[in-house]
Structure formats: structure tokens, C-alpha cells
């Protein structure tokens, strides 16, 4: 009986020594509040001010008789707590600092640990305030190693020379959890992991205008889940990864300034997910970086932050991404990546190349690698929708608003084996260099689709190669200051222009409907170049009664399509009724002055031919032409066929008929050889257009 009791007592003694003396991960029955007695450790007298010296700790006003243990609350408001350096020898040399409890650093209190051994905060809490300081030297430091830990810093200094981990999986595979908040003071770390290892989570937030935090190389979400959120302050990081090794990482900036001084990969590796969100403040990339890499999944969002303006309108401040002078790449290595600009600003003007690399069509609802410009600005020297990093795949750019500014470089739509589709529904596009569609070795079928009336374009040189497709589905397309018109307006190039592409122009919505009135002939110049224009389309597809005339080098015109005739006369034999509105094509010898007789058909009982012919003469747009009543027909005289021997006459009698409801009239037939009737956009009265060299200028 005596023997058994002695063994039990010995076991209790061992337990007390381990928990009280070493700060190990065991539950202490003696968890209390310990206060540092103000002793000062220095590297010249390392016999005083030591963490592991029980004489430096108080409980209340009495000597504690032990050092901090698991579950204790530690208050350090003055003095310096130290550990021996590598040259210091015993008794602290070789000891790690393992602690699960609460440490409150305030006032002028300070912890200095210059040793090469580890500092582990398995769980618990730490606060740093006032001018207090935590300086941890060459050893690795973990906040939340296999446990749950929180760090709150409102002032003072925190310096970790070596690796720091916020939420770290321990040697037993237990994931740690860490939340860290920096709202003041100055903090610096070496290589930093936020959420490292399976099951680990880390969340670091930085706020306060005067807060300064710097990180070395970093990984946010390396096999675990890690997030860095910045709402204010100044943050500096070296290169690293946001989401890697099948982890999930995020960098979210809503204010302040963040600078990335090394190469950065967001969503690096299969199974990894990375998020970069900038809704305010600024993020500056100093080196070539990638959004999506090696099969990872990545999303980058550039948004704007709205501030309450009180009695004034709200103030909208865009989040700004300053891209590097090197390449900034979206979607390399067949990554599932996308970028959304909705109020924010991408600024790479005068610097590097903004590259969107093609990816599998299974990504982003069949759009491959996706770039969306909804509002805000993309400003870059080059924009390559497809590039040499990966051959193949698909890139889709959707633009519904905002400003796309490409400097003296090029806007490449499809490049080096990649197919690209640019869908423009609105916004402004300015290209200082070349607008290039389906460039070198690009996959066939790259498209430039322009919809609606909200898009304006300006380009120095336009090069649309034979494998590209341009779809103009616009009611009013303004190109470099051209004036929008009812059909397709002027597309202007201010430099040397080469057009060698399939062109699709949908005019079906602009055919004369009986109520539309124009003040000029609906023939528009498609391309107007102040430099040299060369147009060599591989094919032209037109929907509607228009055609492209490219018969003269350097001259491109939208004209009436003879193949889409409704009610025509040919070879001197008339057939069909002309109706209330339409076109007549009159041909003959160049520079010939001729006449044409058109039969008319009264539509009411009170038709007055004299009044009708007088109305025609009042509405002729060519002063040299005269209408003469021939009784049942009208003779138009002095028709100048011009240098090419061709004249178009458009007519619209609907206005006359509206004023003479019971005495209206329609044209019937043209009993003259060599004329064609074409139904198209009409005008009040009559107008004439001579297809001459001077009128077909580019």
C-alpha cells in the first residue's frame, strides 16, 4: 500500500513540473494571471530578464514561483522579456517557446527572442498596443499551430525575421486556425503562410491609415484556406502565391496601398483556387505575374467603392491595379481564370503586355478564358487576347461599358494559335497602334462583334486578316469621331489601313418602312482612311439590300445591291409596280445628260396631276433636274450620269399621299431600257446620286 502511494505522488510531481516549468501543451490546474516584474533583459547581461526565470513573474504582488504555463494570462507592460541568443549558452539555449494562453503586450513592454529556435502559439490570444514590441529572431513563428489563436495589434511593433505562419497544420496533421488584426503600429514578417496545410485556416486583416505591414515571400491558402484583407494602411509583400497546393487563397483590398514586389501567382496548380478582389485603394505589381496558373482556378475583380456623400452625391472611388512593365497574364497553363472590371481601373499604360491566354471551352460557361469590361477602365500598352504562352483554346472578351485604352502597341484579337471573340455592346475603345484580328498563326474564326449603338472605336491601323470575322450589328457605330447614321456609320482609321477579312453587315432593320425620312441618299462610306487603304475581303456577306463595292483600290462603299431587286425593269422591258417609294438605277454613257419617263398610277378619285408635278419640282434635291407632266407619266430631264455613267434616283411619295388622302399617287413602271428598281431607304420627294469617281472617294 505504501509503495503504490509513493508512485502516485511522484506522478503528480512530474505533471506539475512539466506544466509549470516548460509551458507545454498540457492543461494546467494552475492557470492564473502572471505579470512581468519589469526586469530588463539585455544581450550584455543575459542573466536577468529571462522568460524561463520564475523570479521575474508575479501573481498579483507576490512572486509567482513559476513561469507562464498553458491557459495563463500574461501581462507585460514594462521591461524587456528575453531569451539567450545562440551564443548565450544555458539555461535558455536550445529551448523553444511553446505557449497556449493569453499574452498582453502594452505600455513599453517588450519581448525579444533572437534565438534560432521556434516560437509556437498553439492557441490562445495575443494583443499588442501602445509602444510595446514583439521581436522574434531567426526561429520560425506560428500563430495557431494545430489550435485556435487570435492576434490583435493596435500599436507598437511586431517583427518576425524568419518564417511566420497564421493557421498552420501541426506534425500530427491537426489543422490550425488563426485570426490576426492589425489596426495600428508597424509589423514585419519573413516568409509568411496564411492557412498552411490541410484543414488549416488563416485570416489576416489590416486597417488604420498609419498601419504599416510588410511580408516576405508568401502563400495565402497553401493546402489550407487563407485570406489577407486590407481596408487601409500600407502593405508590402514580396513574390508569392494566392491559392496553391490545392488550397484556397484570397487577397481582398478595399482601401490603402498594397505593393507586390515579386512574381505573384493567383490560383497556382490543379485544385487550387485564388481570388484577387480590388474594390478600393490600390494594388501595385512590380514583376510579371499570373492570374490562374498550371491548371488552377482564379478570379480577379476590379470594382469601385462608394462613399456616402451626405448632402452631396455619393463619391465613387475606383479600386486600382497598377500592372508591371512586364507581362500580366490571365489564364496561363489552361487555367480556369476570369477577370471582371466593373468600376475599377487596370493601369498598365506605357508599360507592358496585358495577356489573356486561351483555355478550354468548358471554362466560364463555354467562354474559355474570360475578360469582362462592364464599367471602369483598362489602360495598357498592349492587349493580347491570345498569346504565345499556350497554343490553342478560346478567349472571350465581353464589353458592355467603360473605356478600353491600348497605347502605341496593339489590340490583338486571336493570336498565335488562339481563337478569340471580342463582343462589344457598349463603351469606348481607343487603340494607338494596330487593331489586329486573327493575327500570326491564330486559330481560324476569331471574331469582332459590334452590337447596338453604344460603342465608339478609334484605331491607328486596322488589320483584319482573312481568317477573322467582323460582324457589324450596330444601329449607330461611331468609329474615331465618325457621325452615327441610321444604317452603318463611318468606320475611320487615322493611319495606314489593311482590311482583309470576311465582313458581315446586317442592314435588315434599316430598310425603308414607309415612314422613315432622310435628307440624304442612304449610301454610306464604310471605311474612310486618311492614310492608305487596301481592302481585300475573302468574302462579303450582306443581309439586306446593300452591297460592298471594292472595285476601286482604296475605295470602299456601301451601295444598293442589284441582286436584291423587287419590281424591276431590265433590257427595256418593264414589269412590276414601283409603288409609293423605291429606287431607280439609271445607266448610260459617262457624263451623258439624259431623261427618264416614269409612269404614275393615281390612287384616288381627286388626283390632280398638275399639283403632283408641282410638288415633285419643289422636292427635288438636284436643282438641275426638272419634272414635266406628260399626262399619265412624268418626264425627268437634265439627268447627269457623271463620270461612271450611273445615277440612282430615290423617291418617297408617302408625304404627298398623306396630304392628299383621296388623291394619292404611286409610280407604276419605267418604260426605258437599262433601268432597275430597288426598294430601300427612301426620302421625301426625289434625290439623285451620281456614282462618279469624286463621290466614291475613300
Amino acid at each position: 500500500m505504501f509503495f503504490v502511494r509513493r508512485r502516485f505522488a511522484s506522478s503528480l510531481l512530474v505533471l506539475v513540473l512539466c506544466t509549470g516549468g516548460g509551458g507545454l501543451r498540457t492543461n494546467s490546474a494552475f492557470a492564473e494571471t502572471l505579470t512581468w516584474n519589469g526586469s530588463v533583459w539585455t544581450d550584455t547581461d543575459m542573466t536577468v530578464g529571462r522568460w524561463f526565470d520564475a523570479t521575474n513573474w508575479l501573481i498579483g504582488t507576490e512572486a509567482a514561483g513559476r513561469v507562464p504555463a498553458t491557459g495563463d494570462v500574461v501581462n507585460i507592460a514594462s521591461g524587456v522579456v528575453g531569451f539567450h541568443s545562440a551564443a548565450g549558452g544555458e539555461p535558455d539555449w536550445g529551448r523553444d517557446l511553446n505557449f497556449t494562453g493569453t499574452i498582453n503586450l502594452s505600455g513599453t513592454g517588450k519581448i525579444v527572442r533572437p534565438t534560432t529556435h521556434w516560437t509556437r502559439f498553439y492557441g490562445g490570444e495575443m494583443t499588442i498596443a501602445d509602444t510595446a514590441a514583439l521581436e522574434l529572431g531567426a526561429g520560425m513563428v506560428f500563430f495557431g499551430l494545430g489550435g485556435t489563436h487570435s492576434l490583435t495589434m493596435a500599436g507598437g511593433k511586431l517583427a518576425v525575421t524568419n518564417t511566420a505562419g497564421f493557421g498552420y497544420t501541426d506534425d500530427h496533421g491537426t489543422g490550425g486556425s488563426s485570426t490576426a488584426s492589425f489596426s495600428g503600429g508597424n509589423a514585419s514578417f519573413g516568409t509568411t503562410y496564411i492557412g498552411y496545410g490541410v484543414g488549416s485556416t488563416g485570416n489576416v486583416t489590416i486597417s488604420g491609415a498609419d498601419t504599416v505591414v510588410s511580408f516576405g515571400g508568401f502563400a495565402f491558402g497553401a493546402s489550407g484556406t487563407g485570406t489577407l484583407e486590407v481596408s487601409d494602411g500600407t502593405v508590402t509583400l514580396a513574390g508569392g502565391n494566392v491559392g496553391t497546393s490545392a488550397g484556397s487563397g484570397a487577397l481582398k483590398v478595399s482601401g490603402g496601398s498594397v505593393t507586390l514586389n515579386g512574381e505573384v501567382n493567383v490560383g497556382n496548380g490543379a485544385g487550387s483556387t485564388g481570388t484577387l478582389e480590388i474594390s478600393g485603394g490600390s494594388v501595385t505589381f512590380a514583376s510579371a505575374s499570373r492570374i490562374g496558373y498550371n491548371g488552377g482556378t482564379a478570379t480577379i475583380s476590379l470594382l469601385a467603392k462608394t462613399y456616402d456623400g451626405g448632402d452631396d452625391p455619393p463619391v465613387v472611388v475606383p479600386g486600382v491595379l497598377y500592372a508591371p512593365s512586364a507581362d500580366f497574364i490571365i489564364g496561363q497553363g489552361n487555367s480556369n481564370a476570369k477577370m471582371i472590371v466593373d468600376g475599377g481601373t487596370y493601369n498598365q499604360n506605357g508599360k507592358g503586355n496585358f495577356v489573356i491566354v486561351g483555355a478550354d471551352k468548358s471554362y466560364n460557361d463555354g467562354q474559355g478564358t474570360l475578360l469582362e469590361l462592364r464599367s471602369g477602365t483598362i489602360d495598357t500598352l498592349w492587349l493580347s487576347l491570345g498569346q504565345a504562352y499556350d497554343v490553342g483554346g478560346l478567349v472571350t472578351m465581353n464589353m458592355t461599358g467603360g473605356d478600353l485604352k491600348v497605347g502605341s502597341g496593339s489590340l490583338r484579337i486571336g493570336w498565335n494559335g488562339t481563337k478569340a471573340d471580342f463582343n462589344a455592346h457598349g463603351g469606348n475603345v481607343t487603340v494607338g497602334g494596330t487593331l489586329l484580328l486573327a493575327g500570326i498563326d491564330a486559330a481560324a474564326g476569331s471574331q469582332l462583334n459590334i452590337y447596338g449603338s453604344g460603342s465608339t472605336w478609334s484605331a491607328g491601323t486596322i488589320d483584319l486578316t482573312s481568317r477573322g470575322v467582323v460582324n457589324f450589328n450596330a444601329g449607330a457605330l461611331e468609329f474615331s469621331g465618325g457621325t452615327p447614321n441610321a444604317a452603318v456609320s463611318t468606320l475611320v482609321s487615322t493611319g495606314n489601313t489593311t482590311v482583309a477579312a470576311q465582313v458581315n453587315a446586317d442592314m435588315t432593320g434599316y430598310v425603308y418602312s414607309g415612314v422613315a425620312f432622310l435628307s440624304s441618299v442612304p449610301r454610306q462610306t464604310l471605311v474612310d482612311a486618311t492614310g492608305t487603304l487596301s481592302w481585300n475581303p475573302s468574302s462579303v456577306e450582306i443581309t439586306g439590300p446593300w452591297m460592298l463595292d471594292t472595285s476601286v483600290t482604296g475605295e470602299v462603299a456601301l451601295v444598293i445591291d442589284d441582286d436584291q431587286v423587287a419590281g424591276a425593269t431590265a433590257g427595256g422591258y418593264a414589269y412590276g409596280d414601283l409603288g409609293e417609294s423605291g429606287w431607280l438605277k439609271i445607266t448610260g454613257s459617262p457624263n451623258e445628260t439624259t431623261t427618264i419617263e416614269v409612269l404614275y398610277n393615281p390612287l384616288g378619285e381627286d388626283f390632280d396631276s398638275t399639283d403632283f408635278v408641282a410638288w415633285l419640282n419643289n422636292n427635288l434635291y438636284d436643282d438641275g433636274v426638272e419634272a414635266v407632266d406628260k399626262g399619265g407619266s412624268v418626264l425627268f430631264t437634265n439627268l447627269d450620269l457623271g463620270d461612271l455613267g450611273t445615277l440612282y434616283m430615290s423617291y418617297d411619295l408617302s408625304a404627298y399621299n398623306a396630304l392628299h388622302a383621296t388623291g394619292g399617287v404611286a409610280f407604276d413602271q419605267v418604260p426605258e431600257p437599262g433601268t432597275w428598281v430597288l426598294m430601300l431607304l427612301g426620302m421625301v420627294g426625289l434625290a439623285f446620286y451620281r456614282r462618279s469617281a469624286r463621290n466614291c472617294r475613300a
Side-chain angles (χ1 to χ4, degrees):
M1 194 70 175
F2 177 76
F3 176 74
V4 173
R5 289 176 178 173
R6 285 193 59 185
R7 291 191 62 184
F8 180 70
S10 298
S11 298
L12 288 176
L13 179 61
V14 171
L15 177 61
V16 171
L17 289 176
C18 288
T19 57
L24 300 180
R25 294 181 65 193
T26 56
N27 293 323
S28 172
F30 303 99
E32 297 176 274
T33 299
L34 278 69
T35 302
W36 185 252
N37 66 1
S39 181
V40 177
W41 177 93
T42 67
D43 57 3
T44 57
D45 185 2
M46 291 178 286
T47 62
V48 297
R50 294 178 296 148
W51 175 281
F52 289 116
D53 188 341
T55 62
N56 291 319
W57 295 101
L58 302 173
I59 297 178
T61 59
E62 304 295 328
R66 64 181 181 87
V67 300
T70 296
D72 284 339
V73 176
V74 175
N75 295 326
I76 303 172
S78 62
V80 180
V81 182
F83 300 85
H84 281 180
S85 65
E90 294 293 346
D92 296 337
W93 165 240
R95 291 195 188 186
D96 294 339
L97 174 59
N98 304 327
F99 188 73
T100 301
T102 300
I103 297 178
N104 297 316
L105 269 172
S106 62
T108 59
K110 187 175 185 180
I111 295 177
V112 178
R113 181 170 172 78
T115 70
T116 59
H117 290 269
W118 291 10
T119 302
R120 302 181 181 97
F121 299 103
Y122 292 106
E125 303 175 2
M126 173 177 283
T127 63
I128 304 174
D130 305 323
T131 60
L134 174 64
E135 299 177 2
L136 304 176
M140 298 178 69
V141 180
F142 302 97
F143 300 93
L145 177 63
T148 301
H149 186 269
S150 67
L151 169 65
T152 302
M153 181 174 177
K157 176 182 179 182
L158 170 57
V160 177
T161 303
N162 204 334
T163 300
F166 294 90
Y168 209 92
T169 300
D170 64 14
D171 295 339
H172 304 289
T174 302
S177 176
S178 172
T179 57
S181 173
F182 300 88
S183 59
N186 190 315
S188 62
F189 304 90
T191 300
T192 304
Y193 298 96
I194 301 177
Y196 181 90
V198 176
S200 64
T201 59
N203 187 276
V204 178
T205 61
I206 299 172
S207 61
D210 297 329
T211 306
V212 178
V213 182
S214 65
F215 301 93
F218 65 89
F220 304 154
S223 298
T225 302
T227 302
L228 173 63
E229 298 183 67
V230 181
S231 60
D232 209 342
T234 302
V235 182
T236 305
L237 303 96
N241 294 282
V242 179
T244 187
S245 301
S248 177
L251 172 59
K252 299 181 178 181
V253 180
S254 59
S257 171
V258 177
T259 301
L260 302 162
N261 286 319
E263 180 181 293
V264 177
N265 299 309
V266 178
N268 182 6
S272 301
T273 301
T275 300
L276 174 58
E277 181 181 293
I278 306 172
S279 58
S282 66
V283 176
T284 301
F285 287 80
S287 301
S289 297
R290 306 173 184 88
I291 308 298
Y293 189 45
N294 288 334
T297 297
T299 301
I300 175 173
S301 302
L302 303 183
L303 310 173
K305 193 171 184 179
T306 302
Y307 296 90
D308 187 359
D311 295 333
D312 297 322
V315 178
V316 179
V317 179
V320 182
L321 187 156
Y322 293 100
S325 57
D327 290 349
F328 193 84
I329 308 166
I330 309 292
Q332 188 172 347
N334 201 35
S335 297
N336 186 9
K338 65 181 177 181
M339 177 174 179
I340 298 172
V341 181
D342 193 359
T345 298
Y346 177 94
N347 191 327
Q348 198 181 20
N349 186 33
K351 294 181 179 180
N353 190 3
F354 185 23
V355 182
I356 317 298
V357 181
D360 192 278
K361 291 184 179 180
S362 63
Y363 296 152
N364 296 311
D365 297 325
Q367 299 182 90
T369 305
L370 178 63
L371 172 62
E372 289 194 357
L373 176 55
R374 302 172 184 173
S375 62
T377 303
I378 295 177
D379 191 345
T380 180
L381 179 63
W382 296 77
L383 174 56
S384 296
L385 302 177
Q387 181 69 320
Y389 292 98
D390 296 309
V391 176
L394 172 66
V395 172
T396 301
M397 179 172 180
N398 297 324
M399 183 174 176
T400 56
D403 295 289
L404 173 60
K405 302 176 182 179
V406 180
S408 58
S410 297
L411 169 57
R412 299 164 172 169
I413 305 172
W415 182 262
N416 203 61
T418 301
K419 180 181 182 296
D421 293 337
F422 191 149
N423 303 310
H425 297 265
N428 306 308
V429 179
T430 303
V431 182
T434 301
L435 170 60
L436 179 61
L437 176 64
I440 296 176
D441 296 327
S446 292
Q447 297 187 48
L448 172 59
N449 303 310
I450 302 176
Y451 304 94
S453 60
S455 181
T456 63
W457 290 69
S458 173
T461 300
I462 301 176
D463 189 349
L464 310 176
T465 67
S466 60
R467 289 179 297 175
V469 178
V470 183
N471 295 300
F472 296 101
N473 299 309
L477 170 64
E478 181 179 334
F479 223 105
S480 189
T483 301
N485 291 280
V488 171
S489 63
T490 304
L491 183 151
V492 177
S493 170
T494 57
N496 295 331
T497 302
T498 300
V499 180
Q502 176 176 309
V503 177
N504 299 315
D506 185 356
M507 308 298 172
T508 54
Y510 311 106
V511 175
Y512 173 68
S513 63
V515 295
F517 303 100
L518 300 177
S519 60
S520 60
V521 177
R523 174 267 188 193
Q524 304 298 332
T525 302
L526 181 63
V527 176
D528 185 4
T530 57
T532 301
L533 174 65
S534 175
W535 184 278
N536 299 298
S538 59
S539 64
V540 176
E541 296 181 5
I542 300 297
T543 302
W546 295 81
M547 66 175 293
L548 287 174
D549 184 351
T550 60
S551 60
V552 182
T553 302
E555 298 175 2
V556 182
L558 279 176
V559 298
I560 302 167
D561 187 349
D562 292 345
D563 295 328
Q564 301 186 31
V565 175
T569 62
Y573 300 97
Y575 61 91
D577 293 332
L578 302 185
E580 189 179 47
S581 62
W583 282 84
L584 303 179
K585 179 180 179 182
I586 307 163
T587 61
S589 301
N591 299 313
E592 176 186 1
T593 299
T594 187
T595 62
I596 184 172
E597 185 177 3
V598 183
L599 302 179
Y600 58 76
N601 177 25
L603 302 177
E605 299 176 355
D606 299 328
F607 174 70
D608 185 342
S609 62
T610 302
D611 177 71
F612 171 58
V613 173
W615 182 87
L616 289 176
N617 280 309
N618 288 331
N619 287 278
L620 288 172
Y621 288 103
D622 193 322
D623 294 335
V625 179
E626 182 180 359
V628 179
D629 187 4
K630 299 289 290 183
S633 66
V634 177
L635 182 69
F636 295 97
T637 64
N638 300 321
L639 303 177
D640 184 358
L641 298 182
D643 297 338
L644 299 181
T646 303
L647 175 68
Y648 287 100
M649 183 179 79
S650 71
Y651 67 92
D652 185 354
L653 308 179
S654 58
Y656 176 83
N657 291 337
L659 296 173
H660 303 77
T662 61
V665 64
F667 282 139
D668 193 357
Q669 296 177 353
V670 182
E672 293 290 333
T675 59
W676 288 263
V677 179
L678 300 114
M679 299 298 296
L680 215 136
L681 286 168
M683 300 177 298
V684 177
L686 298 169
F688 299 90
Y689 164 60
R690 296 176 187 82
R691 216 179 137 205
S692 61
R694 54 188 165 84
N695 286 328
C696 283
R697 70 183 187 280

